Amino acid sequence: MLTLDLSKLNGFLPQDYLSSREDALREAARMLAEHNGPGGDFTGWVTLPRDYDKEEFARIQAAAKRIQQQSQVLVVIGIGGSYLGARAVVELVNSPNFNLTHKDGPAIYFAGNGLSTDAMLEVIDLIKDKDWSINVISKSGTTTEPAVAFRIFKNLLEEKYGKEEARKRIYATTDAHRGALKGLADAEGYEEFVVPDAVGGRYSVLTAVGLLPIACAGVDIVELMAGAEEAMTALAAPGQDNPAWQYAAARHALYTAGKKVEILVGYEPSFRFFGEWWKQLFGETEGKEGKALFPASVEFTADLHSMGQYIQQGERLMLETVVRFEKSRGSMEIPHDPDNVDGLNFLAGKDLSFVAEQAMRGTLLAHVDGGVPNLMLTAPGRDARSVGALIYFFEYACGLSGYLLEINPFDQPGVEAYKNNMYALLGKPGYEDKKAELEARLG
């Protein structure tokens, strides 16, 4: 289903880049399969496309239908892995303009992923005259950004519908057994879905965390999971023919040769938030102990007119991973202009997708000639099955890559540093000494 082209790495890598890492990759694959490597308690995602909770999956489908029938808007409250995957899939399979173009079911607004007053007020203004529901997603229920947003939107929902009706419109995706949100959901009677203990947030898009909002947006989650399972089956086969092994080995070899940045390249505007999801996946998995490629993303051809100069001739510290979709969903023939003012009549009669393909091919060669290694991953299309496979490919390759770096890929201790400082400055009980220290430093 997915194909990986490494032919443009010739000259950038030693011939044995893969064979020299085969033993390490075999051990990494074994640890992922047996869940016993560093962070193994959080590798439940490895077989998730096959072993997911079928009863909960049916409840997700039923809840999505209910929301589609009773609400014009679904407000999805979450941050990081609790929203990036869902938004990535909704925009990639549907459109970044989904809220304007959808015909059935609710618009989807994402909140609780920052602390902007203006952004919050804008969403409130957009939904105030509509029927709406909430999907709040948080394992603990105490993460500041989504917890603040949930307070605000819960109060608004209760003011609009009354407490009894509001509780029927709140869907909580949280821990199965503990936490502030779990306790509130139990007490209030919200319908609950589970953030699995063995799946970290950045790997959770194929759980209820992502599946409920994705289903509400009309994406076929059966097909999404089927694509992921196909990729899971294919990538479980060990050996040098495994594309996830090839990708993990290539990026690790380029990193050890001195590359510092990996740029994920998409040629579709709908791919933008997939890039945001990918950046969290790799940044949070690998970025520790002073190691790892820095994950960045661009949208071509638009960013060729802004970042293109640096990519072509700036410091040679990067590699590019291009994600290409084989088929467009329609066609657009370029018309003939009798005056040929723009000099483009040589393109008349050609399909726009043909022009885009040649732009991509020309860019790839130019960047390779400029000293930027390029890999290309091709998916059949922007359909749910292909996107499910794409998600799993990057998840699995990321797990392998983390183990090649000899780190724990599945913790994120660095994330706590900003949170502790923020709690102290906000005056959270128990942080009094740190508050005084930080305020003295800030002046």
Side-chain angles (χ1 to χ4, degrees):
M1 174 179 274
L2 303 179
T3 58
L4 182 66
D5 181 359
L6 302 175
S7 63
K8 301 303 182 291
L9 294 183
N10 294 335
F12 293 104
L13 290 175
Q15 285 192 331
D16 69 345
Y17 82 92
L18 182 54
S19 61
S20 64
R21 289 169 173 79
E22 185 170 356
D23 289 346
L25 284 163
R26 196 171 297 278
E27 176 63 9
R30 184 198 64 75
M31 288 189 290
L32 289 176
E34 297 178 8
H35 313 289
N36 60 4
D41 289 345
F42 293 96
T43 53
W45 56 270
V46 174
T47 58
L48 183 71
R50 181 192 66 212
D51 299 335
Y52 64 90
D53 184 333
K54 307 304 189 294
E55 183 276 331
E56 182 180 61
F57 191 85
R59 288 199 302 112
I60 289 169
Q61 292 174 301
K65 286 182 181 178
R66 198 156 58 247
I67 293 167
Q68 289 170 336
Q69 291 166 357
Q70 73 176 7
S71 295
Q72 298 165 286
V73 172
L74 175 65
V75 178
V76 179
I77 298 173
I79 194 168
S82 293
Y83 100 100
L84 282 172
R87 185 164 183 176
V89 175
V90 170
E91 294 200 2
L92 184 53
V93 177
N94 290 326
S95 163
N97 300 311
F98 169 75
N99 288 341
L100 297 174
T101 60
H102 74 285
K103 297 179 176 61
D104 301 309
I108 311 287
Y109 291 107
F110 293 91
N113 48 67
L115 293 167
S116 166
T117 299
D118 291 350
M120 183 80 73
L121 289 172
E122 181 177 46
V123 173
I124 291 169
D125 189 58
L126 286 167
I127 69 174
K128 64 184 179 184
D129 297 323
K130 294 180 169 62
D131 285 316
W132 54 284
S133 297
I134 294 172
N135 178 203
V136 56
I137 306 165
S138 175
K139 192 167 182 64
S140 66
T142 58
T143 302
T144 303
E145 295 92 336
V148 167
F150 183 50
R151 273 198 182 201
I152 292 168
F153 283 102
K154 175 175 172 288
N155 284 348
L156 290 171
L157 198 70
E158 290 176 349
E159 288 173 5
K160 184 177 180 73
Y161 294 104
K163 198 170 180 68
E164 185 60 34
E165 178 61 26
R167 66 166 49 102
K168 299 174 186 176
R169 291 175 172 268
I170 297 175
Y171 300 82
T173 307
T174 189
D175 192 276
H177 307 292
R178 62 186 72 84
L181 182 55
K182 168 64 178 173
L184 178 64
D186 286 349
E188 297 290 339
Y190 305 151
E191 182 161 4
E192 297 177 40
F193 300 96
V194 173
V195 181
D197 288 338
V199 180
R202 58 190 176 276
Y203 289 86
S204 67
V205 60
L206 298 177
T207 72
V209 170
L211 292 178
L212 180 56
I214 289 168
C216 286
V219 176
D220 188 339
I221 59 174
V222 173
E223 282 289 289
L224 187 74
M225 296 302 283
E229 185 175 9
E230 286 179 6
M232 180 194 80
T233 301
L235 298 178
Q240 294 187 29
D241 292 334
N242 186 313
W245 285 36
Q246 295 169 359
Y247 175 57
R251 62 193 304 279
H252 185 261
L254 290 165
Y255 169 66
T256 56
K259 297 302 180 185
K260 300 298 182 185
V261 177
E262 180 178 11
I263 304 175
L264 188 73
V265 178
Y267 281 79
E268 291 288 343
S270 59
F271 190 71
R272 178 191 163 200
F273 262 88
F274 194 96
E276 297 300 313
W277 170 81
W278 177 89
K279 286 189 287 190
Q280 185 196 7
L281 179 68
F282 278 87
E284 207 168 63
T285 296
E286 294 189 312
K288 55 201 75 164
E289 299 182 22
K291 297 179 180 180
L293 290 158
F294 179 84
S297 62
V298 292
E299 179 199 323
F300 286 168
T301 60
D303 286 337
L304 289 171
H305 296 261
S306 57
M307 294 298 293
Q309 173 62 43
Y310 189 97
I311 294 170
Q312 189 70 46
Q313 293 184 320
E315 189 173 352
R316 303 296 76 193
L317 49 66
M318 67 197 75
L319 64 127
E320 290 179 302
T321 297
V322 180
V323 176
R324 170 181 173 267
F325 296 96
E326 203 163 15
K327 297 176 184 174
S328 297
R329 292 180 174 176
S331 62
M332 174 65 67
E333 185 178 299
I334 298 172
H336 181 272
D337 180 358
D339 297 324
N340 197 26
V341 174
D342 52 18
L344 294 180
N345 270 353
F346 72 97
L347 296 177
K350 292 184 170 61
D351 195 276
L352 185 59
S353 61
F354 170 80
V355 178
E357 180 76 8
Q358 305 322 306
M360 182 202 67
R361 296 172 72 199
T363 300
L364 186 148
L365 292 176
H367 287 182
V368 168
D369 290 345
V372 180
N374 265 249
L375 308 85
M376 182 177 290
L377 184 65
T378 299
R382 289 168 44 218
D383 56 283
R385 185 175 287 253
S386 297
V387 172
L390 201 59
I391 288 167
Y392 191 87
F393 173 85
F394 280 121
E395 287 183 343
Y396 190 72
C398 189
L400 294 174
S401 293
Y403 283 140
L404 286 182
L405 286 172
E406 299 181 339
I407 58 171
N408 179 345
F410 306 111
D411 66 355
Q412 51 279 338
V415 175
E416 298 305 313
Y418 98 87
K419 290 183 180 179
N420 290 334
N421 285 356
M422 179 176 66
Y423 292 152
L425 292 169
L426 288 170
K428 185 173 181 176
Y431 288 77
E432 290 81 6
D433 290 345
K434 191 166 185 67
K435 176 180 172 69
E437 174 205 331
L438 293 176
E439 288 182 339
R441 288 174 59 192
L442 289 167

